[in-house]
Amino acid sequence: MSGRVLVGVKRVIDYAVKIRVKPDNTGVVTDGVKHSMNPFCEIAVEEAVKLKEKKLIKEVVAVSCGPQQSQETIRTALAMGADRGIHVDVSGKDYENLGPLQVSKILAALAKQEDAQLILLGKQAIDDDCNQTGQMTAALLDWPQGTFASEVSLEGDKINLVREIDGGLEHIKINTPAVITADLRLNTPRYATLPNIMKAKKKKIATVKPADLGVDLTSRLEVLKVEEPPQREAGMKVETVEDLVVKLKEAGRV
Ligand code: AMP
């Protein structure tokens, strides 16, 4: 395979930020809150850039669907080594309703338009924890999928994958074109260096609207309410293991 890879990069609230629910329970507070690239997307970008460095693919295209600020996320991907970006401009109410199905429709349309051979995504976004976009994109395109990948190697038109599954590792071989989702142990993403951040400013980001791709963003899903998780109770302190066992027995935990 020596073609083009699309990498989905989602802008999310930074993993280190303490999330606050809006007082009216319609969502979480995002104004004035630090955002970054979803950590699993960083792993997907790293993998794509590595494949390019090994000359196994020709071009890495970073795609982000969201408001204007999503371009910052694309710039980070460009500074990590992606060649160009596509910003799919989704804002306002459409952005509030943007879920895995809508993103998958956009990615599937772009894959056809760009004649991509591979779509690399994070296994999940840390904001909505959906873990659905890769699977839905593969289904819409009728492409094979390799989810939760912890090793990827290309062999002609085939991809050898190691998948992280419950209780072990699964080794599979799939045909290209394909969709792969990156798990935590696939690689360690590089930091964008200052020279590469400067170089990335010159790389191109195209902006398109979902309608330009023939994608209707209507959602069948309505978020009714977002609420804080229950307060955690303070943990108990014990001096010895014996005390711990007694306390656990009292609490009916053993
Ligand atoms: P999810 O299914 O929402 O957990 O997201 C899984 C992966 O899909 C993310 O790690 C991204 O690679 C991709 N993805 C989801 N939403 C977007 C978005 N708005 N823009 C670009 N990629 C996205």
Side-chain angles (χ1 to χ4, degrees):
M1 194 190 83
S2 60
R4 182 170 294 132
V5 177
L6 294 188
V7 190
V9 292
K10 186 174 187 186
R11 177 179 180 268
V12 297
I13 295 181
D14 188 86
Y15 70 93
V17 169
K18 178 154 177 15
I19 305 291
R20 281 179 298 128
V21 172
K22 286 186 190 164
D24 64 1
N25 293 101
T26 54
V28 299
V29 178
T30 53
D31 286 348
V33 170
K34 184 180 178 207
H35 283 69
S36 309
M37 187 190 298
N38 177 47
F40 292 105
C41 300
E42 289 182 352
I43 299 173
V45 174
E46 176 66 31
E47 200 60 23
V49 172
K50 275 191 175 159
L51 291 175
K52 184 168 175 203
E53 286 169 346
K54 288 187 204 148
K55 304 209 181 324
L56 293 169
I57 54 152
K58 283 210 181 88
E59 192 182 30
V60 179
V61 184
V63 179
S64 192
C65 315
Q68 179 68 19
Q69 297 94 314
S70 308
Q71 293 203 8
E72 293 161 20
T73 310
I74 296 177
R75 283 280 167 224
T76 307
L78 298 178
M80 288 173 73
D83 298 291
R84 63 185 167 94
I86 301 177
H87 169 218
V88 185
D89 189 9
V90 183
S91 52
K93 204 77 201 141
D94 281 341
Y95 181 52
E96 279 172 31
N97 292 330
L98 189 74
L101 182 57
Q102 290 77 27
V103 175
S104 301
K105 287 179 180 171
I106 291 170
L107 291 172
L110 278 175
K112 288 186 191 151
Q113 182 176 298
E114 293 285 334
D115 190 23
Q117 276 78 60
L118 185 63
I119 299 181
L120 256 165
L121 305 175
K123 74 163 177 181
Q124 80 190 58
I126 61 165
D127 52 0
D128 56 21
D129 274 344
C130 278
N131 176 0
Q132 293 167 0
T133 309
Q135 295 85 332
M136 286 183 178
T137 307
L140 290 173
L141 287 164
D142 198 17
W143 286 7
Q145 58 182 290
T147 50
F148 310 104
S150 64
E151 260 182 66
V152 171
S153 61
L154 301 190
E155 194 189 302
D157 287 341
K158 313 257 181 219
I159 306 175
N160 289 308
L161 277 172
V162 180
R163 302 184 57 238
E164 304 232 353
I165 58 169
D166 271 356
L169 297 171
E170 184 182 53
H171 295 244
I172 59 167
K173 185 179 275 204
I174 56 176
N175 290 328
T176 54
V179 177
I180 295 177
T181 73
D183 212 320
L184 191 64
R185 277 165 281 268
L186 182 58
N187 59 49
T188 307
R190 69 194 68 189
Y191 287 108
T193 59
L194 190 60
N196 285 342
I197 293 172
M198 300 312 287
K199 267 192 224 158
K201 289 188 200 282
K202 294 207 183 93
K203 295 184 182 175
K204 291 213 166 69
I205 300 180
T207 299
V208 296
K209 293 262 184 203
D212 303 337
L213 302 166
V215 173
D216 173 11
L217 291 181
T218 311
S219 172
R220 284 173 293 181
L221 199 139
E222 191 188 347
V223 176
L224 301 177
K225 189 161 99 172
V226 175
E227 53 187 14
E228 297 271 0
Q231 283 278 333
R232 279 196 182 180
E233 288 172 26
M236 56 181 166
K237 267 197 166 170
V238 288
E239 299 295 331
T240 64
V241 174
E242 289 74 25
D243 287 351
L244 174 65
V245 174
V246 170
K247 292 271 185 203
L248 288 174
K249 277 190 180 153
E250 281 168 10
R253 304 260 176 94
V254 286

